[in-house]
């Protein structure tokens, strides 16, 4: 379902292609979950790179700083919202809805 499915992955990791990568993400139906996944991974890994979820590494750094200043962890926020995301993604895929 991702707009980037089938795209060359280098598009999202080359700073020279950043504008094209962001354009690809602009209409993506799963950009928000992609962003949260990137933030969670980067929180654990400790590094940021490329375009994910319609954001640059610099933008995700600002988001992570905002959350850290409020003592919020992306990983903890995602765990708290896991059932909501699972239902939301099932809805996007057209699969059966399961009560949480």
């Amino acid at each position: 379902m991702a707009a980037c499915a089938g795209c060359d992955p280098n598009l999202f990791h080359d700073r020279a292609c950043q504008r094209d990568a962001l354009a690809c993400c602009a209409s993506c139906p799963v950009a928000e979950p992609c962003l949260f996944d990137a933030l969670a991974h980067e929180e654990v890994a400790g590094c940021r790179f490329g375009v994910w979820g319609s954001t640059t590494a610099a933008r995700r750094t600002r988001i992570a700083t905002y959350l850290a200043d409020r003592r919020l962890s992306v990983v903890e926020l995602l765990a708290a919202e896991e059932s909501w995301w699972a239902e939301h993604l099932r809805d996007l895929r057209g699969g059966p809805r399961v009560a949480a």
Side-chain angles (χ1 to χ4, degrees):
M1 290 178 17
C4 63
C7 291
D8 179 359
N10 292 322
L11 174 70
F12 300 91
H13 301 292
D14 182 347
R15 286 184 56 84
C17 299
Q18 207 169 47
R19 186 171 281 155
D20 292 336
L22 290 168
C24 178
C25 292
S27 64
C28 183
V30 293
E32 193 170 65
C34 178
L35 169 59
F36 282 114
D37 186 54
L39 288 168
H41 173 76
E42 292 168 346
E43 183 175 282
V44 173
C47 65
R48 289 181 182 77
F49 62 91
V51 171
W52 293 87
S54 200
T55 61
T56 63
R59 177 70 177 140
R60 290 190 311 282
T61 296
R62 289 193 298 275
I63 293 169
T65 300
Y66 175 88
L67 293 171
D69 287 349
R70 286 152 183 80
R71 293 186 165 89
L72 297 171
S73 162
V74 175
V75 173
E76 291 171 0
L77 289 172
L78 284 176
E81 296 293 331
E82 184 177 358
S83 64
W84 185 90
W85 279 112
E87 183 174 334
H88 182 69
L89 291 175
R90 270 194 300 278
D91 288 347
L92 288 173
R93 287 194 312 258
R97 290 186 65 148
V98 176

